[in-house]
Amino acid sequence: MNEKKVLLTIFGATGDLAQRKLYPSLFRLYRKGVLADHFAVIGTARRPWSDEKYHQVITETIKDLEPTAAEEKEFSSHFYYQSHDVTDTSHYDTLKELSNKLDKKYQLEENRLFYLAMSPNFFGTIVSHLKSQKMLEVDGFHRVIIEKPFGSDYASAYKLNEEINQVFEEDDIYRIDHYLGKEMIQNLSAIRFANNIFESIWNNRYIDNVQINIAEDLGVEERGGYYDKSGALKDMVQNHILQILSLLAMEPPVAFSEKEIRAEKIKALEAVRIYSENEVRENFVRGQYTAGNIEDKNFEGYHSEANVASDSTTETFVAGKLLVDNFRWSGVPFYIRTGKRLTEKGSRINIIFKQVPFNLFKNDINAACDNGSLPPNILTIYIQPTEGFSLSLNGKEIGQGFTTVPIKLEQRNSSEIIENTPEAYEKLLLDALNGDGTNFTHWDEVAQSWRIVDVIRNTWDKEDASPLPYSAGTMGPKEAFELLEKSGSTWIWQPDDWYKDRGLL
Ligand code: BG6
């Protein structure tokens, strides 16, 4: 791969995201030669760390990738730490001096990439100081990567976007949604647009319903303070789930390019029905976990988590039905479900096809569903922890007589391949270095997603009712199951026992 010349400045360099995701991803890019002699990283945060301390942290965070001693030393020597108060303009002058120095030292051609990995309250302040202290007057590119959350509702997102737009052009703004860096999310376009058997039936004539599940067994861990103000709707639905939905629902782009894909995703999001309050009540369920048991381990309820109010009404679970009002999707429910402390970690998409119009085999009681029809064909896309897809069909059981049996065609990547799959952040960093914004969210997408989600949040905020309780280790409150039952459907997602039994999960 071609070597990239860049100075990366990370705001929030001591934080969890930088340590867990960014440094290991940068190291992977270094190993592949994308970053070699001509790169430098300035880490900034409040803490008064020295370069030596910073190097120790970098070394620690890449340990799992088993670097040689030489790699470790050479890689971390490109990292510089600068203690920084984001509100103090004089600190930007120091940063500018260091940037210019590193630019010369490593011959970076004045390419600057800024990564905002800290509290969103400061995003506006940081970018305005980058401009006022003339840090962007460079001959190379200057781009900014912004971590989620991008606002906490449409109004705050709009305001933030205005602030950033004063400084950066839309094409230089890379809003992260790390789901877009995941292998199987990128694979969605291949599944749809490289296979005529799917794309030709990808519509309301053949598809009964679509289900998007992002289940997590983890609780809120150390992020109680953030999560309690956010909740599952804003944490997962406004971004990841609506992005997945747009990729599933969009029309084929005229070219596989950033501009064309974005245009189609935006159109798909614009077709998602913005509900009335009554429709929200009818189509959305929110829950909150109580104490329970996952794999023989007991977990406390949400109210006992650190930094969570003991009477918190924040939802840790959302299930809902969304409708896409256009020619292709009219009448097809998109069911979505996500939550913390569910049965197990498993992000999956199920496309449930309509059954054949008439069951020739209806006397075959083995194959028939309760209503006497055959089980539907289902395309399942496994996003994580396993990756791959499967297609459920009906076939004849071997032997005398005629009994139909469900058959599953399955392609799942082995754990070895999954280990070598680039981490989402590695892909996204490389895209930003290449100036490719396809896998980042455009402002129009962010804006429309907030419009869809705001009415749901506002409806809940007006109610006295608390989220419905569900025990840790279950798949949410019973109302989330009833949501589908009232339309004659059921959730397809099941725990991945086969993989679990073999110790592969
Ligand atoms: C983040 C959310 O965006 O996604 C977290 O803030 C959540 O609450 C995480 O745990 C899930 O990501 P992944 O890649 O583990 O599915």
Side-chain angles (χ1 to χ4, degrees):
M1 268 192 243
N2 283 346
E3 187 194 345
K4 302 289 167 207
K5 298 183 177 180
V6 70
L7 172 64
L8 172 65
T9 306
I10 302 176
F11 291 87
T14 55
D16 185 56
L17 178 92
Q19 297 197 36
R20 274 192 313 115
K21 302 285 186 189
L22 301 187
Y23 302 141
S25 297
L26 288 170
F27 183 67
R28 281 167 172 261
L29 291 174
Y30 173 76
R31 264 207 174 141
K32 290 179 182 161
V34 175
L35 300 175
D37 299 329
H38 303 287
F39 84 99
V41 178
I42 304 179
T44 75
R46 265 181 177 278
R47 288 183 220 178
W49 281 4
S50 62
D51 280 351
E52 288 68 40
K53 163 79 185 169
Y54 195 32
H55 291 175
Q56 274 168 19
V57 171
I58 303 294
T59 308
E60 190 57 32
T61 58
I62 61 171
K63 220 170 59 202
D64 287 352
L65 299 168
E66 300 175 0
T68 62
E71 276 177 334
E72 203 176 271
K73 189 155 173 263
E74 170 55 21
F75 176 70
S76 56
S77 74
H78 289 256
F79 286 71
Y80 297 79
Y81 187 80
Q82 182 75 55
S83 164
H84 185 85
D85 173 356
V86 293
T87 58
D88 184 340
T89 48
S90 70
H91 283 207
Y92 292 80
D93 296 335
T94 322
L95 211 54
K96 187 171 147 190
E97 247 169 66
L98 178 60
S99 303
N100 292 341
K101 199 172 104 198
L102 295 177
D103 197 77
K104 288 207 181 65
K105 177 166 178 186
Y106 294 99
Q107 297 155 10
L108 305 176
E109 297 179 355
E110 299 192 17
N111 290 328
R112 306 266 161 97
L113 183 58
F114 299 93
Y115 201 119
L116 309 189
M118 55 186 305
S119 166
N121 302 343
F122 296 116
F123 291 168
T125 313
I126 296 171
V127 294
S128 75
H129 290 332
L130 291 179
K131 186 173 180 184
S132 70
Q133 301 320 105
K134 304 196 171 26
M135 289 190 64
L136 305 175
E137 293 176 12
V138 289
D139 284 341
F141 62 71
H142 57 271
R143 301 177 185 144
V144 63
I145 303 184
I146 303 180
E147 263 303 325
K148 65 170 272 256
F150 198 89
S152 56
D153 55 15
Y154 175 76
S156 59
Y158 180 84
K159 184 168 169 281
L160 173 60
N161 200 51
E162 289 287 287
E163 286 168 353
I164 296 171
N165 273 164
Q166 305 284 321
V167 182
F168 288 93
E169 303 277 327
E170 177 66 28
D171 283 353
D172 292 324
I173 305 173
Y174 294 78
R175 298 179 196 80
I176 290 261
D177 184 317
H178 77 284
Y179 262 69
L180 298 181
K182 289 187 192 283
E183 189 61 32
M184 289 309 293
I185 298 297
Q186 299 194 348
N187 210 334
L188 285 180
S189 295
I191 293 171
R192 283 192 58 189
F193 306 127
N195 295 295
N196 196 25
I197 61 162
F198 292 133
E199 194 47 33
S200 53
I201 58 173
W202 206 259
N203 57 49
N204 52 8
R205 267 173 293 152
Y206 299 101
I207 291 180
D208 184 85
N209 70 88
V210 175
Q211 302 184 7
I212 304 170
N213 276 279
I214 304 187
E216 293 188 88
D217 55 345
L218 291 179
V220 290
E221 312 301 295
E222 300 86 39
R223 296 163 72 231
Y226 149 77
Y227 195 88
D228 205 36
K229 290 197 199 75
S230 164
L233 182 71
K234 293 184 181 185
D235 188 50
M236 299 297 285
V237 178
Q238 185 272 338
N239 38 56
H240 311 318
I241 289 191
L242 285 175
Q243 281 294 318
I244 296 175
L245 185 147
S246 70
L247 288 166
L248 290 170
M250 72 179 183
E251 292 300 313
V254 291
F256 200 64
S257 69
E258 174 184 343
K259 182 168 153 267
E260 304 300 342
I261 295 172
R262 275 182 172 179
E264 295 307 335
K265 282 171 70 190
I266 290 166
K267 274 193 248 164
L269 287 170
E270 282 171 351
V272 174
R273 187 180 304 177
I274 298 203
Y275 281 146
S276 66
E277 289 184 7
N278 275 343
E279 284 173 319
V280 171
R281 280 184 211 108
E282 201 177 306
N283 294 315
F284 269 82
V285 172
R286 64 192 158 130
Q288 189 186 69
Y289 61 84
T290 56
N293 195 285
I294 307 178
E295 302 223 328
D296 299 334
K297 260 207 200 134
N298 291 322
F299 290 98
E300 293 188 316
Y302 180 66
H303 282 171
S304 312
E305 299 281 10
N307 301 320
V308 167
S310 58
D311 57 352
S312 168
T313 56
T314 300
E315 80 286 355
T316 60
F317 172 95
V318 186
K321 167 176 158 182
L322 290 167
L323 295 169
V324 181
D325 289 329
N326 61 17
F327 255 64
R328 187 187 279 262
W329 294 113
S330 181
V332 179
F334 281 71
Y335 294 112
I336 62 170
R337 182 171 59 167
T338 185
K340 301 272 186 203
R341 284 274 186 260
L342 300 184
T343 312
E344 69 180 31
K345 185 169 178 70
S347 305
R348 262 172 253 164
I349 299 164
N350 300 107
I351 312 291
I352 295 102
F353 292 95
K354 289 186 174 160
Q355 241 322 330
V356 288
F358 176 72
N359 180 6
L360 266 182
F361 316 102
K362 59 176 167 290
N363 294 329
D364 166 15
I365 46 156
N366 292 329
C369 288
D370 292 348
N371 59 5
S373 65
L374 290 159
N377 300 132
I378 301 171
L379 172 68
T380 301
I381 298 159
Y382 300 87
I383 301 164
Q384 62 184 23
T386 59
E387 293 174 352
F389 42 95
S390 69
L391 184 63
S392 316
L393 305 168
N394 295 305
K396 178 190 169 298
E397 191 175 54
I398 297 171
Q400 291 288 354
F402 203 101
T403 306
T404 58
V405 281
I407 305 169
K408 204 164 175 181
L409 306 181
E410 191 164 53
Q411 190 273 330
R412 294 234 223 161
N413 289 339
S414 70
S415 51
E416 204 177 299
I417 291 179
I418 290 173
E419 237 170 58
N420 291 328
T421 309
E423 153 71 44
Y425 276 90
E426 178 190 340
K427 288 186 180 222
L428 296 175
L429 278 165
L430 181 58
D431 283 354
L433 288 171
N434 284 329
D436 180 353
T438 313
N439 295 314
F440 293 84
T441 42
H442 189 276
W443 162 244
D444 293 343
E445 297 168 49
V446 176
Q448 191 59 20
S449 303
W450 276 123
R451 289 189 194 102
I452 295 164
V453 156
D454 276 358
V455 292
I456 303 171
R457 184 70 260 169
N458 295 342
T459 306
W460 291 346
D461 287 344
K462 281 187 195 162
E463 286 172 355
D464 290 333
S466 296
L468 301 159
Y470 63 95
S471 305
T474 64
M475 284 304 284
K478 70 175 186 340
E479 287 77 358
F481 293 83
E482 289 164 6
L483 180 74
L484 273 69
E485 282 158 19
K486 63 188 180 195
S487 325
S489 303
T490 51
W491 291 107
I492 301 299
W493 191 103
Q494 291 293 329
D496 224 340
D497 290 335
W498 191 91
Y499 272 71
K500 244 191 203 161
D501 292 348
R502 285 159 184 77
L504 297 171
L505 277 184

